[in-house]
Amino acid sequence: MGKNEKTSLGRALVKHHNHVIQETKEKGKYYKSQNKKVLESVTEVSDIDAIIEQAEEAERLFAIHHDSASPVPINMDAGSSGSGVVTAKEWKEQRMREEALHASSLQVPRRPPWTPKMNVEQLDANEKQAFLSWRRKLASLEENEKLVLTPFEKNLDIWRQLWRVLERSDLIVMVVDARDPLFYRCPDLEAYAREIDEHKETMLLVNKADLLPPYVREKWAEYFTRNNILFVFWSAKAATATLEGKPLKEQWTAPETSQKTDDPAVKVYGRDELLDRLKSEAQEIVKMRKARGVSTETSADSHRERVVVGFVGYPNVGKSSTINALVGQKRTGVTSTPGKTKHFQTLIISEELMLCDCPGLVFPSFSSSRYEMIACGVLPIDRMTEHREAVKVVAERVPRDVIEEVYNISLPKPKTYESQFRPPLASELLRTYCMSRGYVAASGLPDETRAARQILKDYIEGKLPHFAMPPEMTQDDEKETDKTGEGSQSEVSEEARGQGSQSEVSEEARGLGLDQVLDDLSSFDLANGIGSSKKKQVDSHKKHKKPQRKN
C-alpha cells in the first residue's frame, strides 16, 4: 500500500505540473494574439531597435491616416561638418546656450484630446501617433551635437499610467530626494497638470529630509518659498520605523534639532501631520473648483466624495515607501531596484482621502549624464557597464576624508605636482576598497565591479553623506554655511580648501620646476625597483668582488 500511495502521489504531482504548464502556454498564446506586452520600463534602446520601432509605427499610422504621418528626413552629412578646435570652456558655454534655447522642446508627452464616445481602436491610434511625434522631437534634439540628452522613458504604456493619475488626482505630489531636489523635479510636469486643470496644484514632497542638517533645510525652504513652490519635508524611512516601533539605523537617525524647531516649513513631518496637510490642500482645490463652477469630468462618479492625491516622480525616490507609511501597512512592493511599481493603484485612506500611486518615470533632461542617474539610483545599478564613471561621480561629491572615515581606509595621497585638494580617482577608490575588503576576481585582479556596486548602494542609501545646496546662494549665505559647526561632513572639504588657500599660494609662489618633477619620478622608479644609478652598481660590484687565488 505504501508503494502504491507514493506512486499515485507522484503521478498527481506530475499531472498537476503538466496542467500548470499547459495553462501557461495557453495564456501566453492569448496575450500574443492580443498583441499585449508585459509592462516594463524602457529607458534605453539600440539604434536599430529605434529605427525598426519608428518604421513600424509610421507604416501603421500611414495606413490609418495618409496625410498625418510625415516621413523623418535623414541627414547623412550631420556629423561631417566641423570647424577648428574648440576648448572645453567654449564647448561648455555653447552647450549651455543650446540647452537654454531648446529648453521648451524638452516636454512630457501630452495625451491627445479624447471623449468618452471614442472607441478603443481610435483612442489607441491617437495616443500612439502623439507619442511618436513626441519621440521625433526628442530625436531631432539628439541629432544636435551640442546637446546631450539623458536616457528617458520610451514605453508608451508607462506614460499612459501617468496620464491616468494626473487626470484622476486633485493634488499632485511629486516625490523628490532631499539631497538634490532639483535633480528629481520636473517643472514641465507641473505645467502639464495645470493644462489639464488650472486648479490642480503640485506639491514637492522632499523625502529623506532627515539626512539633511537643519541649516540646509532652512536654505532649501527659503529657496522654495522665494520661487513659490509648495513643499513639505518628509522621511518615509523614519515614519515607517516609528509606526513599527523599530529603532532607526545609524545613517537614518534624525537630527535632534529637527524636532525642536518651531518653524513648520523646516521641520520633518510625521505620518498624521502629512495626511492632514494633504487632505487640507486637496480639499482647498476642490472648493476653488466648485466655487468657479467647474465640473470634474475626469474623475469617476464613485470617487467624487473623496479627494484624490496622486504620487508621481522618478524611480527609487520613495513613492511606494511613502504610500506604505501613510496607509499603515505594506500595500505596494518596495525594493532598491528602480521600476518595482508597474501599474498605478488607488488606496482608500478614509472617507475623505484616497491616494493614487504611479509607476516611476525617467523624464528627459539635459542637466545630467547617464552616470549621474546611476549614482542617484534612477537607473539600475546592476545594468551599468562602465563602473568607474559612476564611481567617479561619488568620488567627486563625497569628500576624501569622509570616504576614509566611513570605510576605514586610507586613499593614496596626491602627488606633489598635483593639486593637494583634488578628489580621489575612481581607480584609487575602487582598488583601495577591494584591498580592504578582499574583493578579488577570478583573474586575480581586484574585483572593481563588485566594489563599485557596493559603493553606489551605500551612496544611494545614505551611508556616504552628501547633499546639494540650493542655487542662487549669495556670498553671505556661503560664509554662514562655512561657519556652521554642525554642518554635514561634505562641507569639511570646503573648509579645508579655505584653510589651505595659503599653502596653495605659497606653492604657486615657489613653483613646481622640472627638476622637482623629475626627482619625484626618479624616486618613484627607485621605490619600485625600475631603475638605479650606474655609479651605485659599480661601487657595489667593487665591494663584493671575489678575491683571486695566487698561484
Side-chain angles (χ1 to χ4, degrees):
M1 290 295 293
K3 185 176 181 180
N4 294 333
E5 289 179 358
K6 291 181 180 178
T7 305
S8 60
L9 178 61
R11 289 177 179 175
L13 292 175
V14 172
K15 185 177 180 180
H16 176 71
H17 178 69
N18 295 337
H19 180 67
V20 171
I21 293 177
Q22 186 65 24
E23 286 184 349
T24 305
K25 290 182 178 180
E26 293 177 356
K27 187 181 296 185
K29 292 179 181 179
Y30 171 75
Y31 275 95
K32 187 175 181 181
S33 61
Q34 297 293 326
N35 293 326
K36 292 185 177 181
K37 299 180 180 179
V38 179
L39 189 59
E40 183 179 0
S41 177
V42 179
T43 56
E44 292 185 4
V45 294
S46 61
D47 295 338
I48 188 64
D49 292 338
I51 293 173
I52 294 175
E53 180 183 356
Q54 291 186 8
E56 292 178 350
E57 197 67 27
E59 182 182 1
R60 191 185 65 83
L61 292 174
F62 183 78
I64 299 176
H65 307 285
H66 294 283
D67 299 331
S68 60
S70 58
V72 181
I74 301 176
N75 187 6
M76 301 299 295
D77 300 329
S80 60
S81 60
S83 56
V85 179
V86 181
T87 61
K89 185 177 180 180
E90 294 177 352
W91 177 263
K92 185 177 181 180
E93 293 177 354
Q94 293 178 3
R95 180 179 172 185
M96 293 178 63
R97 287 195 297 266
E98 289 291 329
E99 289 180 0
L101 183 63
H102 297 87
S104 59
S105 301
L106 206 62
Q107 295 181 345
V108 172
R110 266 60 170 171
R111 187 182 185 184
W114 63 279
T115 59
K117 298 180 180 180
M118 291 184 177
N119 54 25
V120 178
E121 291 77 11
Q122 186 178 2
L123 183 63
D124 181 73
N126 292 341
E127 290 180 352
K128 287 184 176 180
Q129 181 179 356
F131 186 73
L132 182 60
S133 301
W134 175 73
R135 288 285 304 272
R136 284 172 174 167
K137 290 181 180 179
L138 294 183
S140 62
L141 293 179
E142 290 177 342
E143 293 178 358
N144 192 337
E145 297 179 354
K146 298 177 183 178
L147 294 177
V148 178
L149 197 63
T150 58
F152 58 92
E153 183 58 57
K154 299 178 178 66
N155 191 350
L156 173 59
D157 293 330
I158 300 291
W159 290 106
R160 282 171 172 167
Q161 305 296 314
L162 176 66
W163 294 340
R164 272 57 171 182
V165 172
L166 293 180
E167 291 175 355
R168 294 168 64 95
S169 302
D170 300 310
L171 175 66
I172 308 299
V173 177
M174 188 181 302
V175 185
V176 298
D177 196 318
R179 294 169 290 184
D180 194 0
L182 298 184
F183 175 83
Y184 300 93
R185 183 189 174 214
C186 182
D188 187 66
L189 185 63
E190 303 174 7
Y192 181 37
R194 286 298 186 108
E195 292 177 7
I196 297 176
D197 185 0
E198 61 178 0
H199 301 284
K200 288 185 185 291
E201 292 288 343
T202 303
M203 173 189 289
L204 280 188
L205 187 63
V206 189
N207 191 23
K208 305 177 184 179
D210 54 346
L211 296 180
L212 297 182
Y215 76 95
V216 178
R217 292 204 303 271
E218 292 177 0
K219 298 300 179 184
W220 278 111
E222 294 175 1
Y223 175 81
F224 292 145
T225 305
R226 186 166 59 250
N227 291 274
N228 298 323
I229 300 175
L230 188 64
F231 69 97
V232 168
F233 288 111
W234 159 258
S235 175
K237 195 83 171 181
T240 303
T242 304
L243 189 65
E244 297 177 354
K246 296 181 180 179
L248 293 176
K249 295 182 181 180
E250 183 178 355
Q251 66 267 24
W252 285 94
T253 303
E256 296 179 358
T257 55
S258 64
Q259 304 297 334
K260 298 179 181 180
T261 179
D262 297 331
D263 191 357
V266 178
K267 72 173 183 178
V268 180
Y269 275 56
R271 174 179 176 270
D272 297 334
E273 295 174 331
L274 181 59
L275 285 175
D276 294 339
R277 178 71 182 275
L278 295 177
K279 184 172 65 174
S280 62
E281 293 287 346
Q283 288 176 349
E284 286 293 329
I285 296 173
V286 174
K287 288 180 181 179
M288 292 176 58
R289 187 185 295 119
K290 290 182 178 180
R292 297 190 179 185
V294 180
S295 61
T296 57
E297 297 180 357
T298 56
S299 301
D301 295 337
S302 60
H303 297 149
R304 288 184 178 179
E305 300 178 357
R306 301 184 180 91
V307 291
V308 183
V309 178
F311 287 79
V312 299
Y314 276 84
N316 204 20
V317 293
K319 295 187 302 299
S320 299
S321 300
T322 300
I323 293 289
N324 293 334
L326 295 179
V327 174
Q329 56 183 344
K330 186 174 181 181
R331 299 292 294 274
T332 59
V334 178
T335 180
S336 59
T337 304
K340 175 65 176 177
T341 305
K342 302 296 183 183
H343 302 270
F344 84 92
Q345 48 188 330
T346 56
L347 302 169
I348 298 176
I349 302 297
S350 62
E351 295 181 355
E352 300 177 347
L353 179 63
M354 182 173 68
L355 306 181
C356 190
D357 186 20
C358 177
L361 290 102
V362 182
F363 303 101
S365 174
F366 290 140
S367 59
S368 62
S369 64
R370 165 183 165 81
Y371 308 108
E372 291 182 1
M373 301 179 78
I374 293 176
C376 294
V378 175
L379 298 179
I381 296 176
D382 297 331
R383 296 182 185 178
M384 68 175 177
T385 55
E386 299 181 7
H387 52 273
R388 285 194 177 184
E389 294 295 332
V391 174
K392 182 182 177 181
V393 177
V394 179
E396 291 177 351
R397 294 185 178 180
V398 183
R400 177 188 295 268
D401 54 348
V402 175
I403 297 176
E404 293 178 343
E405 182 180 356
V406 171
Y407 290 136
N408 193 19
I409 58 178
S410 180
L411 295 172
K413 302 298 182 183
K415 299 296 182 181
T416 56
Y417 53 85
E418 295 178 339
S419 175
Q420 299 301 308
F421 302 101
R422 69 162 177 83
L425 302 177
S427 58
E428 296 175 348
L429 176 56
L430 291 173
R431 291 174 183 174
T432 306
Y433 186 87
C434 290
M435 291 177 61
S436 63
R437 302 300 191 269
Y439 291 171
V440 181
S443 60
L445 299 175
D447 193 352
E448 295 186 0
T449 303
R450 181 183 177 187
R453 291 177 179 176
Q454 186 60 46
I455 292 174
L456 290 172
K457 289 179 180 179
D458 294 340
Y459 180 82
I460 295 171
E461 293 175 359
K463 186 176 180 179
L464 292 174
H466 66 282
F467 56 83
M469 297 298 292
E472 302 175 359
M473 285 185 61
T474 61
Q475 295 181 356
D476 297 336
D477 295 337
E478 293 180 356
K479 291 180 180 179
E480 183 180 354
T481 301
D482 294 337
K483 291 179 181 179
T484 306
E486 299 177 357
S488 173
Q489 295 179 356
S490 62
E491 299 295 327
V492 176
S493 62
E494 296 183 2
E495 296 178 358
R497 293 189 184 96
Q499 296 175 358
S501 59
Q502 296 179 358
S503 62
E504 287 183 349
V505 173
S506 61
E507 186 177 354
E508 292 177 357
R510 68 172 182 267
L512 292 175
L514 180 61
D515 296 337
Q516 187 175 354
V517 176
L518 293 177
D519 292 341
D520 183 73
L521 293 175
S522 61
S523 62
F524 175 81
D525 295 341
L526 289 173
N528 292 273
I530 298 176
S532 59
S533 60
K534 293 183 179 180
K535 185 177 181 181
K536 291 183 178 181
Q537 288 182 358
V538 174
D539 293 343
S540 61
H541 176 68
K542 290 181 178 180
K543 284 183 179 181
H544 299 284
K545 186 177 180 180
K546 293 182 180 180
Q548 297 179 358
R549 292 183 182 181
K550 295 181 180 180
N551 294 330

